[in-house]
Protein backbone atom coordinates (compact mmCIF):
# COMPACT_ATOMS: atom_id res chain seq x y z
CA UNK A 1 0.00 0.00 0.00
CA UNK A 2 2.80 2.35 0.93
CA UNK A 3 4.62 1.57 -2.31
CA UNK A 4 1.44 2.25 -4.28
CA UNK A 5 1.05 5.68 -2.65
CA UNK A 6 4.67 6.57 -3.41
CA UNK A 7 4.21 5.52 -7.06
CA UNK A 8 1.10 7.67 -7.36
CA UNK A 9 2.92 10.71 -5.89
CA UNK A 10 5.82 10.18 -8.29
CA UNK A 11 3.48 10.14 -11.28
CA UNK A 12 1.78 13.34 -10.08
CA UNK A 13 5.12 15.11 -9.55
CA UNK A 14 6.36 14.02 -12.97
CA UNK A 15 3.19 15.38 -14.52
CA UNK A 16 3.60 18.73 -12.76
CA UNK A 17 7.25 18.96 -13.85
CA UNK A 18 6.27 18.10 -17.40
CA UNK A 19 3.61 20.81 -17.44
CA UNK A 20 6.06 23.39 -16.11
CA UNK A 21 8.59 22.40 -18.76
CA UNK A 22 6.01 22.75 -21.54
CA UNK A 23 4.87 26.13 -20.16
CA UNK A 24 8.49 27.33 -19.99
CA UNK A 25 9.22 26.19 -23.51
CA UNK A 26 6.17 28.10 -24.80
CA UNK A 27 7.28 31.43 -23.28
CA UNK A 28 8.77 33.50 -26.11
CA UNK A 29 12.32 34.74 -25.55
CA UNK A 30 12.33 38.55 -25.40
CA UNK A 31 14.39 40.16 -28.16
CA UNK A 32 16.30 43.41 -27.85
CA UNK A 33 14.84 46.28 -29.90
CA UNK A 34 16.61 46.91 -33.19
CA UNK A 35 18.61 50.11 -33.69
CA UNK A 36 15.81 51.48 -35.85
CA UNK A 37 13.26 50.71 -33.11
CA UNK A 38 15.49 52.45 -30.57
CA UNK A 39 15.79 55.45 -32.90
CA UNK A 40 12.00 55.66 -33.24
CA UNK A 41 11.52 55.38 -29.47
CA UNK A 42 14.03 58.20 -28.97
CA UNK A 43 12.27 60.40 -31.51
CA UNK A 44 8.85 59.74 -29.99
CA UNK A 45 10.15 60.65 -26.52
CA UNK A 46 12.05 63.79 -27.61
CA UNK A 47 10.43 66.99 -26.26
CA UNK A 48 8.44 69.06 -28.73
CA UNK A 49 10.41 71.64 -30.73
CA UNK A 50 8.84 75.05 -31.30
CA UNK A 51 11.30 77.28 -33.19
CA UNK A 52 10.88 80.98 -34.00
CA UNK A 53 10.17 81.93 -37.61
CA UNK A 54 13.34 82.10 -39.73
CA UNK A 55 14.20 83.78 -43.03
CA UNK A 56 16.77 82.11 -45.29
CA UNK A 57 18.75 84.91 -46.92
CA UNK A 58 20.17 82.46 -49.49
CA UNK A 59 23.80 83.50 -49.98
CA UNK A 60 24.92 83.05 -53.58
CA UNK A 61 28.57 82.35 -52.75
CA UNK A 62 31.16 82.17 -50.00
CA UNK A 63 34.89 82.77 -50.29
CA UNK A 64 36.87 80.46 -47.98
CA UNK A 65 40.36 81.05 -46.60
CA UNK A 66 42.37 78.98 -44.14
CA UNK A 67 44.90 81.20 -42.42
CA UNK A 68 46.62 83.15 -45.20
CA UNK A 69 45.76 80.50 -47.83
CA UNK A 70 42.83 81.11 -50.16
CA UNK A 71 40.89 77.85 -50.60
CA UNK A 72 38.51 79.23 -53.23
CA UNK A 73 34.91 80.29 -53.68
CA UNK A 74 31.87 78.07 -53.29
CA UNK A 75 28.68 78.94 -55.21
CA UNK A 76 25.14 78.09 -54.05
CA UNK A 77 22.08 77.49 -56.19
CA UNK A 78 18.49 77.03 -55.00
CA UNK A 79 15.32 75.60 -56.49
CA UNK A 80 12.00 77.43 -56.93
CA UNK A 81 11.07 76.57 -53.33
CA UNK A 82 14.27 78.21 -52.02
CA UNK A 83 15.79 74.84 -51.14
CA UNK A 84 19.51 74.25 -51.58
CA UNK A 85 20.06 72.44 -54.90
CA UNK A 86 23.74 72.73 -55.77
CA UNK A 87 27.12 73.74 -54.35
CA UNK A 88 30.05 74.18 -56.71
CA UNK A 89 33.54 75.62 -56.52
CA UNK A 90 35.68 77.20 -59.21
CA UNK A 91 36.50 73.76 -60.62
CA UNK A 92 33.39 71.59 -60.46
CA UNK A 93 30.18 70.68 -58.63
CA UNK A 94 30.85 69.71 -55.01
CA UNK A 95 27.35 68.69 -53.98
CA UNK A 96 23.90 68.66 -55.54
CA UNK A 97 20.44 67.33 -54.85
CA UNK A 98 17.58 66.28 -57.07
CA UNK A 99 13.97 66.05 -55.91
CA UNK A 100 11.34 63.83 -57.49
CA UNK A 101 8.22 64.74 -55.48
CA UNK A 102 5.90 62.80 -57.80
CA UNK A 103 7.55 59.55 -56.74
CA UNK A 104 8.48 60.76 -53.22
CA UNK A 105 12.18 60.39 -53.92
CA UNK A 106 15.35 62.48 -53.72
CA UNK A 107 19.01 62.05 -54.58
CA UNK A 108 22.14 63.65 -53.14
CA UNK A 109 25.45 63.47 -54.97
CA UNK A 110 29.02 64.24 -53.92
CA UNK A 111 31.30 63.90 -56.97
CA UNK A 112 30.82 60.19 -57.84
CA UNK A 113 29.01 59.18 -54.61
CA UNK A 114 25.23 59.06 -54.53
CA UNK A 115 22.56 58.47 -51.91
CA UNK A 116 18.94 57.81 -52.86
CA UNK A 117 16.19 58.77 -50.41
CA UNK A 118 12.59 57.67 -50.00
CA UNK A 119 10.49 60.58 -48.75
CA UNK A 120 7.52 60.51 -46.38
CA UNK A 121 4.24 62.42 -47.04
CA UNK A 122 5.77 65.54 -45.43
CA UNK A 123 8.65 65.50 -47.93
CA UNK A 124 11.23 64.37 -45.36
CA UNK A 125 13.63 61.49 -45.93
CA UNK A 126 12.44 58.34 -44.22
CA UNK A 127 15.15 55.99 -45.56
CA UNK A 128 18.19 56.00 -47.81
CA UNK A 129 20.49 53.69 -49.70
CA UNK A 130 23.68 54.23 -51.65
CA UNK A 131 27.24 55.20 -50.76
CA UNK A 132 28.40 57.98 -48.41
CA UNK A 133 31.08 60.43 -49.48
CA UNK A 134 33.65 58.40 -47.49
CA UNK A 135 32.77 55.24 -49.42
CA UNK A 136 30.73 53.57 -46.66
CA UNK A 137 27.40 51.94 -47.47
CA UNK A 138 24.39 54.12 -46.75
CA UNK A 139 21.26 52.26 -45.67
CA UNK A 140 19.67 54.50 -43.05
CA UNK A 141 16.23 55.05 -41.49
CA UNK A 142 15.38 58.58 -40.27
CA UNK A 143 13.05 59.84 -37.52
CA UNK A 144 11.82 63.38 -36.79
CA UNK A 145 10.24 65.62 -34.18
CA UNK A 146 8.33 68.64 -35.49
CA UNK A 147 10.31 68.57 -38.74
CA UNK A 148 13.74 68.21 -37.10
CA UNK A 149 15.82 65.09 -37.64
CA UNK A 150 16.39 63.76 -34.12
CA UNK A 151 17.52 60.18 -34.73
CA UNK A 152 18.55 57.69 -37.39
CA UNK A 153 19.89 54.16 -37.61
CA UNK A 154 21.75 51.88 -39.96
CA UNK A 155 22.89 48.32 -39.27
CA UNK A 156 25.80 49.50 -37.10
CA UNK A 157 25.01 52.92 -35.63
CA UNK A 158 22.25 54.57 -33.64
CA UNK A 159 22.44 58.34 -34.12
CA UNK A 160 20.82 60.75 -31.66
CA UNK A 161 20.42 64.51 -32.03
CA UNK A 162 19.20 66.48 -29.02
CA UNK A 163 17.49 69.84 -29.51
CA UNK A 164 16.40 72.64 -27.25
CA UNK A 165 12.72 73.46 -27.46
CA UNK A 166 13.63 76.60 -29.48
CA UNK A 167 15.15 74.46 -32.27
CA UNK A 168 18.86 74.76 -31.44
CA UNK A 169 20.82 71.51 -31.71
CA UNK A 170 22.62 70.75 -28.45
CA UNK A 171 24.30 67.41 -29.10
CA UNK A 172 24.94 65.16 -32.10
CA UNK A 173 26.10 61.62 -31.37
CA UNK A 174 26.43 58.93 -34.05
CA UNK A 175 26.84 59.51 -37.79
CA UNK A 176 26.81 62.72 -39.80
CA UNK A 177 24.90 63.09 -43.07
CA UNK A 178 28.15 62.19 -44.83
CA UNK A 179 28.62 58.96 -42.89
CA UNK A 180 31.38 60.20 -40.56
CA UNK A 181 31.19 59.32 -36.88
CA UNK A 182 30.51 62.38 -34.77
CA UNK A 183 30.10 63.44 -31.18
CA UNK A 184 29.61 67.17 -30.89
CA UNK A 185 28.32 69.65 -28.30
CA UNK A 186 26.95 73.05 -29.40
CA UNK A 187 26.41 76.47 -27.87
CA UNK A 188 24.75 79.34 -29.74
CA UNK A 189 24.87 83.06 -30.33
CA UNK A 190 21.74 85.21 -30.22
CA UNK A 191 21.88 85.75 -34.01
CA UNK A 192 19.25 84.00 -36.15
CA UNK A 193 20.49 81.28 -38.50
CA UNK A 194 19.70 82.93 -41.85
CA UNK A 195 22.32 80.97 -43.84
CA UNK A 196 21.13 77.41 -43.08
CA UNK A 197 24.29 76.85 -41.09
CA UNK A 198 25.03 73.33 -39.91
CA UNK A 199 28.38 72.23 -38.48
CA UNK A 200 28.99 68.49 -38.24
CA UNK A 201 32.71 68.08 -38.89
CA UNK A 202 35.80 69.71 -37.39
CA UNK A 203 37.46 70.27 -40.80
CA UNK A 204 36.40 72.68 -43.55
CA UNK A 205 34.15 73.39 -45.33
CA UNK A 206 32.01 74.51 -42.41
CA UNK A 207 28.58 74.68 -43.98
CA UNK A 208 25.73 72.25 -44.66
CA UNK A 209 26.24 69.57 -47.30
CA UNK A 210 22.77 68.04 -47.31
CA UNK A 211 19.31 68.45 -48.76
CA UNK A 212 16.55 70.29 -46.94
CA UNK A 213 14.58 67.02 -46.98
CA UNK A 214 16.73 65.96 -44.00
CA UNK A 215 14.92 68.36 -41.72
CA UNK A 216 15.10 71.89 -40.39
CA UNK A 217 18.23 73.77 -39.32
CA UNK A 218 19.07 75.22 -35.91
CA UNK A 219 17.38 78.52 -35.06
CA UNK A 220 20.55 80.46 -34.19
CA UNK A 221 24.09 80.76 -35.48
CA UNK A 222 26.63 78.61 -33.69
CA UNK A 223 28.94 80.25 -31.17
CA UNK A 224 31.02 77.20 -30.25
CA UNK A 225 31.28 73.52 -31.18
CA UNK A 226 33.33 70.90 -29.35
CA UNK A 227 34.01 67.67 -31.26
CA UNK A 228 35.18 64.66 -29.26
CA UNK A 229 37.33 62.04 -30.98
CA UNK A 230 40.23 59.69 -30.27
CA UNK A 231 42.82 62.39 -30.86
CA UNK A 232 41.19 64.69 -28.30
CA UNK A 233 38.71 67.55 -28.45
CA UNK A 234 38.47 69.76 -31.52
CA UNK A 235 37.06 73.17 -30.65
CA UNK A 236 35.61 75.70 -33.08
CA UNK A 237 34.77 79.25 -31.93
CA UNK A 238 32.68 81.44 -34.26
CA UNK A 239 32.42 85.21 -34.64
CA UNK A 240 30.26 87.08 -37.17
CA UNK A 241 30.07 90.30 -39.17
CA UNK A 242 26.78 91.57 -40.66
CA UNK A 243 25.76 94.12 -43.29
CA UNK A 244 23.11 96.83 -42.93
CA UNK A 245 20.39 94.27 -43.73
CA UNK A 246 21.57 91.96 -40.91
CA UNK A 247 22.89 89.43 -43.41
CA UNK A 248 26.01 87.46 -42.50
CA UNK A 249 28.93 88.79 -44.52
CA UNK A 250 31.89 87.26 -42.67
CA UNK A 251 32.48 84.35 -40.32
CA UNK A 252 35.78 83.79 -38.51
CA UNK A 253 36.22 80.32 -37.04
CA UNK A 254 39.04 79.85 -34.56
CA UNK A 255 40.10 76.17 -34.52
CA UNK A 256 42.35 74.75 -31.82
CA UNK A 257 43.80 72.05 -34.11
CA UNK A 258 44.35 74.15 -37.20
CA UNK A 259 44.55 77.68 -38.59
CA UNK A 260 41.56 79.98 -38.46
CA UNK A 261 38.96 79.57 -41.20
CA UNK A 262 37.46 82.71 -42.74
CA UNK A 263 34.20 82.71 -44.71
CA UNK A 264 33.08 85.77 -46.69
CA UNK A 265 29.47 85.60 -47.95
CA UNK A 266 27.91 87.32 -50.97
CA UNK A 267 24.24 87.71 -51.88
Amino acid sequence: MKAKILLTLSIILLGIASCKKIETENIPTPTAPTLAEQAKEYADAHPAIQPPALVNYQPTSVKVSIGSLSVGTYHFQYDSQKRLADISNDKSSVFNTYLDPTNSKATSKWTTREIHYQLNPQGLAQSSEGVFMNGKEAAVEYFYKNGYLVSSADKNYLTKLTYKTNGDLQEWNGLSHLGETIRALYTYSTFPNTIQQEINYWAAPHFALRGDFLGKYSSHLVEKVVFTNRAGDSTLDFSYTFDSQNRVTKVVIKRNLSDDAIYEYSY
Side-chain angles (χ1 to χ4, degrees):
M1 183 69 178
K2 188 174 183 181
K4 191 173 182 179
I5 293 172
L6 289 174
L7 179 60
T8 303
L9 288 173
S10 297
I11 292 172
I12 293 172
L13 290 173
L14 284 171
I16 294 172
S18 177
C19 290
K20 287 185 176 180
K21 183 178 181 181
I22 291 171
E23 289 174 0
T24 303
E25 288 175 350
N26 289 335
I27 296 174
T29 303
T31 58
T34 65
L35 294 180
E37 289 170 340
Q38 293 179 54
K40 184 181 186 305
E41 289 174 3
Y42 177 82
D44 290 342
H46 193 289
I49 304 170
Q50 299 175 327
L54 280 178
V55 176
N56 176 14
Y57 284 146
Q58 296 182 283
T60 56
S61 65
V62 57
K63 179 182 177 182
V64 179
S65 302
I66 305 296
S68 59
L69 176 66
S70 176
V71 174
T73 300
Y74 292 86
H75 305 274
F76 304 100
Q77 293 183 6
Y78 306 86
D79 66 15
S80 60
Q81 302 299 314
K82 298 184 177 181
R83 297 170 298 206
L84 180 65
D86 185 85
I87 301 175
S88 60
N89 58 22
D90 300 328
K91 299 178 181 179
S92 61
S93 176
V94 175
F95 169 78
N96 60 65
T97 66
Y98 172 74
L99 282 172
D100 180 6
T102 302
N103 296 303
S104 298
K105 293 182 178 180
T107 299
S108 290
K109 184 177 180 179
W110 303 267
T111 61
T112 61
R113 307 292 187 183
E114 288 190 10
I115 298 182
H116 304 279
Y117 299 87
Q118 184 67 45
L119 307 182
N120 65 19
Q122 291 74 46
L124 297 171
Q126 63 182 21
S127 63
S128 68
E129 59 180 18
V131 180
F132 286 121
M133 190 170 67
N134 57 13
K136 294 180 181 178
E137 179 185 356
V140 184
E141 294 184 61
Y142 304 93
F143 302 91
Y144 301 84
K145 174 69 72 170
N146 304 123
Y148 287 83
L149 178 67
V150 295
S151 59
S152 63
D154 66 4
K155 63 182 180 181
N156 295 314
Y157 289 95
L158 169 63
T159 299
K160 296 180 180 180
L161 293 84
T162 305
Y163 284 84
K164 292 182 178 180
T165 55
N166 70 350
D168 284 337
L169 176 62
Q170 291 182 285
E171 183 174 359
W172 192 333
N173 196 346
L175 290 183
S176 73
H177 300 309
L178 304 183
E180 301 284 353
T181 56
I182 171 178
R183 184 179 181 191
L185 298 173
Y186 300 83
T187 55
Y188 289 86
S189 70
T190 58
F191 308 122
N193 180 11
T194 60
I195 56 175
Q196 293 190 322
Q197 179 193 58
E198 187 170 78
I199 311 298
N200 58 27
Y201 194 56
W202 70 270
H206 297 294
F207 48 75
L209 288 167
R210 55 108 159 173
D212 292 353
F213 48 80
L214 281 167
K216 299 177 182 179
Y217 298 83
S218 289
S219 300
H220 297 90
L221 294 172
V222 169
E223 182 176 86
K224 183 177 183 178
V225 187
V226 179
F227 294 96
T228 300
N229 51 50
R230 294 178 183 177
D233 290 349
S234 304
T235 302
L236 280 59
D237 290 286
F238 294 73
S239 61
Y240 301 91
T241 303
F242 302 87
D243 64 12
S244 59
Q245 300 179 54
N246 290 323
R247 299 179 303 189
V248 178
T249 56
K250 187 176 183 179
V251 183
V252 177
I253 308 172
K254 294 188 175 297
R255 308 185 298 177
N256 70 321
L257 297 182
S258 185
D259 293 334
D260 293 355
I262 302 170
Y263 290 68
E264 297 174 87
Y265 286 87
S266 298
Y267 296 85

